[in-house]
């Protein structure tokens, strides 16, 4: 289930017990900044994540056998299932007027107006402004970000993160999937460089905000 921004899985977790609807549990919750939790908690749970990894390590390490590390486990996983590379650009304290011009432009690119671009040989599939429709209580949360989705699952997403007296924060989320074993050990910049260039060029974020670079890259 994809939810709106923020750590907001509560209704989905409580679907059966409180709302007497479909039971989505047990479930694991995650986000791009590595927060992890489950249906026993309503917030990111570092202790749960550590215990989960300790359980995996205990299962994989057998007495009398060579030590299996976390690195060994993730590399084995990536070789079998591929790897998703992530990055986030934060443009902080952007003037509200400039942020609005940018978001209006992003809205103009949605639907049938999507740009004719490719990520390598992979065409852009969908551009939309994401809205979350809660499957439990039926509530609607519009304006959750502008998504540029490619046919291989790669994507970049722009989101306006609040406005205030000192301006707005514009966040750019980037994700690219790699299934080729020779490309699972790339650096972030090697894996996402082309996608970053596409996102910056398509959005005209430098032109609209006057920013040559983001405030923070994570």
């Amino acid at each position: 289930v994809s939810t709106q921004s923020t750590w907001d899985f509560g209704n989905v977790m409580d679907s059966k017990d409180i709302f007497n609807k479909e039971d989505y549990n047990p479930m694991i919750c995650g986000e791009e900044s590595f927060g992890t939790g489950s249906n026993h908690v309503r917030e990111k749970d570092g202790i749960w994540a550590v215990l989960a990894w300790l359980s995996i390590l205990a299962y994989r390490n057998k007495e009398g056998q060579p030590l299996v590390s976390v690195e060994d486990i993730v590399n084995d996983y990536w070789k079998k299932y591929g790897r998703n590379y992530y990055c986030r650009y934060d443009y902080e304290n952007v003037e509200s007027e400039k942020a609005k011009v940018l978001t209006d432009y992003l809205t103009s690119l949605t639907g049938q107006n999507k740009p004719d671009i490719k990520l390598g040989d992979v065409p852009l599939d969908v551009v939309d402004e994401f809205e979350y429709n809660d499957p439990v209580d039926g509530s609607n949360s519009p304006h959750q970000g502008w998504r540029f989705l490619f046919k291989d699952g790669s994507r970049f997403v722009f989101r306006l993160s609040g406005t205030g007296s000192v301006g707005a924060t514009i966040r750019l989320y980037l994700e690219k999937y790699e299934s080729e074993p020779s490309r699972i050990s790339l650096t972030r910049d090697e894996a996402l460089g082309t996608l970053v260039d596409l996102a910056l060029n398509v959005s005209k974020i430098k032109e609209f905000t006057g920013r040559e670079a983001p405030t923070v890259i994570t």
Side-chain angles (χ1 to χ4, degrees), residues 103 107 110-111 127-131 142-147:
T103 55
T107 300
T110 59
V127 179
D128 66 8
E129 186 176 1
F130 179 63
E131 61 178 42
H143 312 304
Q144 293 297 313
W146 293 263
R147 305 188 302 175

Side-chain angles (χ1 to χ4, degrees), residues 36-68:
T36 308
S38 188
N39 52 286
H40 69 287
V41 69
R42 295 300 184 267
E43 189 43 272
K44 307 169 192 178
D45 191 344
I47 294 176
W48 185 94
V50 170
L51 290 174
W53 268 110
L54 289 175
S55 298
I56 294 169
L57 288 167
Y59 177 80
R60 289 290 301 273
N61 283 279
K62 308 299 182 183
E63 187 174 353
Q65 299 295 318
L67 179 68
V68 179

Side-chain angles (χ1 to χ4, degrees), residues 159-194:
R159 184 168 70 86
L160 189 63
S161 183
T163 56
S165 59
V166 294
T169 295
I170 298 168
R171 291 197 166 100
L172 166 59
Y173 303 83
L174 303 121
E175 177 182 357
K176 187 175 188 298
Y177 173 72
E178 289 285 359
S179 59
E180 175 58 46
S182 64
R183 295 182 61 80
I184 63 171
S185 298
L186 300 175
T187 66
R188 178 193 65 192
D189 292 342
E190 289 171 338
L192 296 174
T194 303

Side-chain angles (χ1 to χ4, degrees), residues 125-139:
D125 187 28
V126 174
V127 179
D128 66 8
E129 186 176 1
F130 179 63
E131 61 178 42
Y132 178 64
N133 295 298
D134 194 299
V136 179
D137 66 9
S139 61

Side-chain angles (χ1 to χ4, degrees), residues 45-117:
D45 191 344
I47 294 176
W48 185 94
V50 170
L51 290 174
W53 268 110
L54 289 175
S55 298
I56 294 169
L57 288 167
Y59 177 80
R60 289 290 301 273
N61 283 279
K62 308 299 182 183
E63 187 174 353
Q65 299 295 318
L67 179 68
V68 179
S69 67
V70 171
E71 182 180 6
D72 294 328
I73 292 170
V74 295
N75 280 323
D76 288 345
Y77 181 91
W78 290 337
K79 288 174 183 176
K80 185 174 182 179
Y81 298 105
R83 178 181 178 181
N84 288 81
Y85 289 90
Y86 301 92
C87 185
R88 191 179 89 189
Y89 281 28
D90 286 4
Y91 296 81
E92 299 177 351
N93 298 330
V94 176
E95 294 176 35
S96 298
E97 295 81 4
K98 292 181 177 180
K100 185 177 187 308
V101 172
L102 171 64
T103 55
D104 286 347
Y105 178 71
L106 294 173
T107 300
S108 76
L109 299 179
T110 59
Q112 298 301 314
N113 298 318
K114 70 176 182 180
D116 183 17
I117 58 173

